[in-house]
C-alpha cells in the first residue's frame, strides 16, 4: 500500500537534517538547501502513489535532492565535488540509522555551547553570518590561513566532542569539550 | 556515519584533509585542491563520514544563526536586537516556528470580544483591503457569554501603530471546527472527541533548531491586537488528551500593553503530567500567577497582552490533542 501524504511529510520532516546536509555539500548555502528540501517534499507528495516503504522514500529524496541541488548549482558558480563522490556521500547518509542524525545534532549543539568564546565568535562569523574566510580574517585582523587552521581545529574538536558524548551515553553530556 | 577518523590517518594527512574540506566549504578551493579532495573522498569511507559530519556542522551552525536572527525579528521586524538575544533555545524555536523568518505578515485577530456583524464575504470594519476567508472562533466576553467572532485569514504588512491599542479582552475561548483558521499550528482531528465538540487540534511537527522538530499546537501570532489580557487573577484552562504518557509545556508569549515598546516575555507554566490514563480527556486549570518568565528581567508586571499560546510536547510525539482552551478572571471554569 502506498504511503499516505501525512506519513510522507512526517518521514521527510524526520529526515530533513540529513537531506538538507547532503544538499549543503553541493550548494554550501543553508537557505538554498532549505529551498531544495521544500521542493523535494512537494515532489514527493505529487508522486506519493509510488512510495511504499520509508527506506525507499528516503533514498529517493536524497537522490532527487542531489539532482535538484546540482541543477541549481551553476547560479552559484562554485566548484563542486565529482558526481561519483557525491553519490558515495549520499550512500553514507542513507545508511545512517534513522535516529542517529538527530542524536548527533543534539550532541553537536551541546558541544557548540561549550566552545570557548573566541571559537564561537569565529563560527558565528563564518557560518551564522555567512562570511567568507577572507572577510572573517579581515574582521578579526588575522591571516586567511590562520582562519582556515582555526576552523579545522574547531571542527576537529567538535567531532571528538560529539563522539565522546555518543560513547558516554545520553546522560553524561557535560564534560566532553572541557 | 562512522566514528572519528583522525586517529586512522597520519597527523599531517588528517590536517591536509581538514584544510581541503574547510577550503571547499569556503568556496575557495582551487582545481588541484578539489581533485585531491575528490581522490581522498573516493578512496576512504572514513573520510566521507568525516566530510558528512562537517556538513552537519555547517548546516547546524547556519540554522542556529537563522534562528537567532529570526528571534531578533520577532515580533514586528524592527526591535532592538539586544532585547531578544538572550531568549532560551526553545523560545527561539517557538519564534522560528510561529513567527517565521518574514515576521512582517500578520493575521489579524479579533480586537473585541463582541461578535461582528460581518459576513463571510463582508468588509471588516476598520480594515482596508480585501479579506479572503473567515474562521469561526469563539470568544467569551466579560459577561461570560460565548460568542462566535470572525478571524480574518488575510495577511497584510502591518503598519506602525499610531497609538497604543486598547487591551484585548481578559477572557478568551478557543475551540476548533472545520475549516481551521489560517495561522494555527496543529492538525484538525475529529476522532474520540468529547460530547459537544466540533473538533480538536492535534500536535503537528515544527522545525526545531536543536532536535529537528517539536510537536506543538499553537495559536496564530496576534502581536498587534493580542489574544487576551493577562491580569493578576487570570487563569488558563485547557481540555487536552495525551495518547502516550508524558508531559507537555504550556508557553504564553506576551508583550507589554504599550505596543511601541516591543518588549516581550515568554511565560512558562509548570509541566502537566498524565501518566495513568493516557487517551482520556482531562481539563487542567492554571493560574497565570504560577506562570514564570523563562528569562529574568523580562516584563512580568500585569497586565500583559498574550499574543501566542503554545502547547508543546517537545520532540516526542505523544499525540497531544487540545480540544479547547480558555481564559477567565479568577478560577471559575466553564
Amino acid at each position: 500500500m502506498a504511503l499516505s501524504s501525512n506519513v510522507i511529510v512526517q518521514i521527510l520532516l524526520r529526515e530533513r537534517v540529513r537531506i538538507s546536509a547532503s544538499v549543503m555539500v553541493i550548494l554550501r548555502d543553508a537557505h538554498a538547501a532549505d529551498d531544495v528540501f521544500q521542493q523535494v517534499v512537494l515532489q514527493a507528495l505529487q508522486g506519493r502513489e509510488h512510495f511504499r516503504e520509508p527506506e525507499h522514500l528516503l533514498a529517493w529524496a536524497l537522490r532527487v535532492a542531489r539532482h535538484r541541488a546540482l541543477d541549481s548549482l551553476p547560479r552559484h558558480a562554485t566548484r563542486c565535488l565529482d558526481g561519483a563522490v557525491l553519490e558515495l556521500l549520499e550512500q553514507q547518509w542513507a545508511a545512517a540509522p534513522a535516529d542517529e542524525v538527530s542524536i548527533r545534532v543534539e550532541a553537536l549543539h551541546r558541544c557548540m555551547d561549550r566552545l570557548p568564546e573566541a571559537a564561537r565568535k569565529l563560527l558565528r562569523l563564518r557560518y551564522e553570518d555567512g562570511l567568507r574566510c577572507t572577510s572573517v580574517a579581515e574582521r578579526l585582523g588575522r591571516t586567511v590561513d590562520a582562519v582556515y587552521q582555526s576552523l579545522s581545529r574547531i571542527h576537529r574538536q567538535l567531532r571528538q566532542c560529539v563522539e565522546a558524548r555518543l560513547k558516554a551515553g545520553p546522560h553524561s553530556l557535560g564534560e566532553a569539550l572541557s | 556515519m562512522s566514528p572519528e577518523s583522525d586517529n586512522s590517518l597520519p597527523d599531517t594527512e588528517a590536517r591536509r584533509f581538514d584544510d581541503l574540506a574547510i577550503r571547499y566549504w569556503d568556496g575557495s578551493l582551487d582545481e588541484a585542491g578539489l581533485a585531491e579532495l575528490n581522490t581522498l573522498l573516493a578512496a576512504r569511507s572514513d573520510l566521507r563520514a568525516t566530510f558528512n559530519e562537517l556538513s552537519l556542522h555547517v548546516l547546524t551552525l547556519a540554522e542556529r544563526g537563522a534562528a537567532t536572527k529570526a528571534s531578533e525579528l520577532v515580533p514586528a521586524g524592527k526591535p532592538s536586537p539586544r532585547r531578544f538575544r538572550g531568549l532560551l533555545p526553545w523560545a527561539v524555536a517557538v519564534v522560528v516556528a510561529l513567527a517565521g523568518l518574514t515576521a512582517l505578515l500578520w493575521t489579524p485577530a479579533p480586537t473585541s470580544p463582541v461578535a461582528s456583524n460581518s459576513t463571510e464575504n463582508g468588509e471588516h470594519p476598520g480594515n482596508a483591503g480585501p479579506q479572503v476567508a473567515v474562521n469561526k472562533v469563539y470568544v467569551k466576553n466579560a459577561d461570560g457569554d460565548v460568542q462566535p467572532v470572525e478571524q480574518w485569514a488575510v495577511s497584510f504588512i502591518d503598519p506602525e501603530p499610531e497609538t497604543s491599542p486598547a487591551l484585548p479582552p481578559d477572557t478568551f475561548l478557543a475551540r476548533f471546527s472545520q475549516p481551521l483558521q489560517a495561522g494555527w499550528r496543529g492538525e484538525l482531528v475529529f476522532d474520540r472527541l468529547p460530547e459537544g465538540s466540533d473538533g480538536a487540534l492535534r500536535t503537528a511537527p515544527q522545525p526545531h533548531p536543536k532536535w529537528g522538530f517539536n510537536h506543538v499546537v499553537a495559536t496564530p501570532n496576534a502581536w498587534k491586537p493580542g489574544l487576551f489580557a493577562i491580569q493578576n487573577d487570570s487563569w488558563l484552562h485547557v481540555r487536552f488528551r495525551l495518547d502516550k504518557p508524558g508531559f507537555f509545556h504550556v508557553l504564553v508569549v506576551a508583550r507589554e500593553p504599550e505596543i511601541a515598546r516591543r518588549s516581550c516575555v515568554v511565560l512558562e507554566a509548570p509541566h502537566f503530567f498524565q501518566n495513568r490514563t493516557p487517551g482520556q480527556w482531562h481539563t487542567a486549570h492554571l493560574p497565570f500567577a504560577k506562570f514564570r518568565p523563562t528569562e529574568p528581567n523580562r516584563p512580568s508586571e500585569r497586565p500583559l497582552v498574550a499574543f501566542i499560546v503554545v502547547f508543546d510536547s517537545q520532540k516526542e510525539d505523544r499525540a497531544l490533542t487540545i480540544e479547547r482552551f480558555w481564559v477567565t478572571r479568577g478560577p471559575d471554569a466553564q
Side-chain angles (χ1 to χ4, degrees):
Chain A
M1 201 170 83
L3 300 176
S4 70
S5 299
N6 281 348
V7 170
I8 287 173
V9 171
Q10 281 177 10
I11 292 170
L12 291 179
L13 277 174
R14 194 180 64 211
E15 304 294 354
R16 182 189 68 84
V17 172
R18 76 168 115 184
I19 295 169
S20 296
S22 73
V23 171
M24 283 286 282
V25 172
I26 300 169
L27 297 178
R28 283 156 277 180
D29 179 329
H31 295 296
D34 197 43
D35 287 345
V36 168
F37 174 75
Q38 292 183 32
Q39 291 166 11
V40 169
V41 173
L42 289 175
Q43 192 171 336
L45 291 174
Q46 285 163 2
R48 59 183 175 276
E49 66 275 12
H50 301 300
F51 302 114
R52 286 175 169 70
E53 301 292 338
E55 295 77 15
H56 173 209
L57 175 62
L58 174 62
W60 174 91
L62 285 167
R63 192 173 62 251
V64 168
R66 170 162 53 94
H67 291 156
R68 283 188 173 269
L70 287 170
D71 286 346
S72 61
L73 189 60
R75 292 201 300 273
H76 294 264
T78 50
R79 294 186 179 90
C80 184
L81 293 170
D82 280 352
V85 171
L86 290 174
E87 201 162 336
L88 288 169
L89 291 169
E90 181 183 306
Q91 287 170 11
Q92 211 134 6
W93 278 120
D99 57 350
E100 182 181 327
V101 177
S102 58
I103 292 170
R104 270 182 186 276
V105 169
E106 192 163 350
L108 183 58
H109 276 288
R110 289 170 183 265
C111 290
M112 287 170 177
D113 289 341
R114 294 181 62 84
L115 283 170
E117 176 53 31
R120 284 212 300 267
K121 183 178 182 183
L122 181 56
L123 292 177
R124 204 159 47 234
L125 289 170
R126 172 67 189 91
Y127 299 112
E128 297 184 15
D129 295 344
L131 297 180
R132 298 281 296 272
C133 286
T134 49
S135 302
V136 174
E138 283 173 16
R139 192 76 70 91
L140 298 177
R142 300 168 63 181
T143 66
V144 182
D145 281 341
V147 170
Y148 288 144
Q149 287 170 15
S150 295
L151 285 172
S152 294
R153 189 180 64 252
I154 294 167
H155 283 294
R156 199 177 310 128
Q157 280 183 305
L158 286 173
R159 288 201 303 269
Q160 290 166 348
C161 172
V162 168
E163 292 306 329
R165 285 173 183 273
L166 295 182
K167 281 177 186 163
H171 299 298
S172 52
L173 297 173
E175 310 307 324
L177 204 66
S178 55
Chain B
M1 283 171 280
S2 67
E4 166 69 35
S5 61
D6 283 5
N7 294 339
S8 61
L9 282 171
D11 193 54
T12 52
E13 198 174 354
R15 290 183 191 283
R16 176 62 180 159
F17 173 77
D18 284 347
D19 184 61
L20 290 169
I22 292 297
R23 287 172 191 265
Y24 175 82
W25 282 101
D26 187 42
S28 56
L29 192 61
D30 60 19
E31 285 292 345
L34 184 63
E36 190 179 351
L37 183 60
N38 273 319
T39 303
L40 284 168
L41 287 171
R44 302 187 60 144
S45 66
D46 58 342
L47 295 187
R48 292 198 292 276
T50 302
F51 197 79
N52 277 348
E53 181 85 19
L54 186 55
S55 67
L56 205 58
H57 293 188
V58 176
L59 177 70
T60 304
L61 284 160
E63 291 188 342
R64 275 167 75 110
T68 304
K69 287 178 174 60
S71 76
E72 290 170 356
L73 285 171
V74 169
K78 289 181 282 186
S80 162
R82 285 190 298 276
R83 288 185 176 175
F84 294 92
R85 196 149 278 165
L87 284 175
L88 294 174
W90 59 261
V92 173
V94 169
V95 161
V96 171
L98 302 176
L101 291 172
T102 60
L104 285 170
L105 295 175
W106 299 94
T107 301
T111 54
S112 161
V114 179
S116 157
N117 290 327
S118 303
T119 64
E120 288 202 4
N121 297 312
E123 294 292 319
H124 189 289
N127 264 350
Q131 50 266 25
V132 179
V134 177
N135 260 286
K136 199 166 52 173
V137 171
Y138 298 88
V139 175
K140 195 161 80 169
N141 67 17
D143 297 327
D145 297 329
V146 176
Q147 297 175 323
V149 299
E150 293 90 346
Q151 287 201 347
W152 303 90
V154 60
S155 295
F156 61 97
I157 303 298
D158 185 31
E160 283 296 309
E162 291 177 4
T163 57
S164 296
L167 279 177
D170 49 19
T171 56
F172 181 84
L173 170 63
R175 297 176 61 191
F176 308 104
S177 61
Q178 191 78 272
L180 184 64
Q181 179 215 354
W184 282 88
R185 305 295 165 130
E187 180 191 357
L188 194 59
V189 295
F190 305 98
D191 64 306
R192 294 179 287 149
L193 294 175
E195 191 175 340
S197 176
D198 297 324
L201 270 192
R202 186 192 189 284
T203 52
Q206 297 295 318
H208 186 281
K210 275 199 173 179
W211 47 70
F213 50 92
N214 265 17
H215 296 272
V216 304
V217 164
T219 67
N221 183 336
W223 159 254
K224 185 179 170 185
L227 295 170
F228 52 86
I230 302 172
Q231 306 284 358
N232 286 327
D233 58 350
S234 293
W235 283 61
L236 176 73
H237 317 272
V238 54
R239 184 181 294 174
F240 67 95
R241 186 181 76 201
L242 277 166
D243 284 349
K244 296 176 187 171
F247 64 87
F248 63 97
H249 287 286
V250 180
L251 310 169
V252 177
V253 192
R255 61 169 170 81
E256 290 180 285
E258 176 57 62
I259 196 167
R261 296 177 71 171
R262 302 184 184 285
S263 190
C264 298
V265 58
V266 182
L267 301 169
E268 183 181 31
H271 291 170
F272 290 149
F273 288 90
Q274 189 192 36
N275 290 319
R276 284 176 289 183
T277 54
Q280 293 186 15
W281 290 103
H282 294 261
T283 303
H285 311 281
L286 276 177
F288 269 101
K290 296 252 181 174
F291 283 63
R292 290 285 175 263
T294 58
E295 215 185 3
N297 305 319
R298 289 278 157 187
S300 57
E301 191 173 325
R302 274 51 168 175
L304 291 168
V305 176
F307 62 95
I308 301 175
V309 179
V310 184
F311 303 94
D312 179 2
S313 69
Q314 297 198 317
K315 62 181 175 180
E316 300 297 329
D317 184 3
R318 300 187 172 94
L320 169 63
T321 306
I322 305 296
E323 193 271 328
R324 70 180 65 185
F325 66 93
W326 65 102
V327 175
T328 59
R329 297 289 297 272
D332 296 335
Q334 68 172 21

